[in-house]
Amino acid sequence: GAVVSQHPSWVICKSGTSVKIECRSLDFQATTMFWYRQFPKQSLMLMATSNEGSKATYEQGVEKDKFLINHASLTLSTLTVTSAHPEDSSFYICSARNLAGGNYEQYFGPGTRLTVT
Amino acid sequence: GQQLNQSPQSMFIQEGEDVSMNCTSSSIFNTWLWYKQDPGEGPVLLIALYKAGELTSNGRLTAQFGITRKDSFLNISASIPSDVGIYFCAGRTRGTGNQFYFGTGTSLTVIP
């Protein structure tokens, strides 16, 4: 149980294009999902909290117009990197909290490697 | 956002040795989680802690929620090669709601 998937697992795009990353909770419902960014050999940095049916909450310094988040259902959240630039290249990881878990455990997806050329 | 201090930053140990790492914060936390991340993959939850003083085991792994609520410890006994990876702590304070903030990570290398 508590499986989270991400798609795609890796993507290469040209500068100026937009990329959408999907995060799905496969065997549980998640009212809240989180998006993280991770640079090589560094820790996970929380970008935003995605709430089903409402606007996402962004961490300080994260541009909401550049990183669009949509949490349309209890099992799906999407992150769209708009007008991507090489500095957006990174490992993006989502996590989801199990609604029925009664606790605050988060389960992570396998991550998406984004390379902007 | 907040970031937790984790130490040591890296460890190189012989197979069979025990491992200890810790995580500290300037804030009081209500929940501590420990994760292991393999290269190119997402973190996998190892242990969750919810009460000060709580000691929880998962196989060869044991984690403790510090009495001060500002720290947590993870021990791995009798290490094996597949323990290699980066270990992260994550903490949640009352004020952050559902959000967890992550430690700086401990890179573990096990030498066969």
Side-chain angles (χ1 to χ4, degrees), chain A residues 38 43 59 97 104-106, chain B residues 35 37 50 98-100 103:
Chain A
Q38 187 178 33
S43 186
E59 292 297 296
R97 179 189 164 205
Y104 289 93
E105 294 171 11
Q106 289 185 60
Chain B
Y35 289 88
Q37 185 179 26
Y50 297 101
N98 290 330
Q99 299 161 314
F100 278 89

Side-chain angles (χ1 to χ4, degrees), chain A residues 2 4-6 9 36 38 44 91-95 106-113, chain B residues 34-46 84-88 102:
Chain A
V4 178
S5 70
Q6 269 183 253
S9 56
Y36 294 83
Q38 187 178 33
L44 291 81
F91 193 52
Y92 292 88
I93 315 175
C94 71
S95 71
Q106 289 185 60
Y107 299 91
F108 281 85
T112 297
R113 173 75 58 193
Chain B
W34 283 92
Y35 289 88
K36 177 176 183 272
Q37 185 179 26
D38 291 327
E41 298 183 14
V44 174
L45 181 64
L46 300 173
V84 166
I86 301 179
Y87 291 80
F88 290 103
F102 279 75

Side-chain angles (χ1 to χ4, degrees), chain B residues 4 6 13 16-17 24 34 38 47 50 64 68 90 94 98:
Chain B
L4 310 177
Q6 204 172 326
I13 63 168
E17 290 184 354
T24 60
W34 283 92
D38 291 327
I47 293 177
Y50 297 101
Q64 185 165 23
T68 65
R94 191 186 304 273
N98 290 330

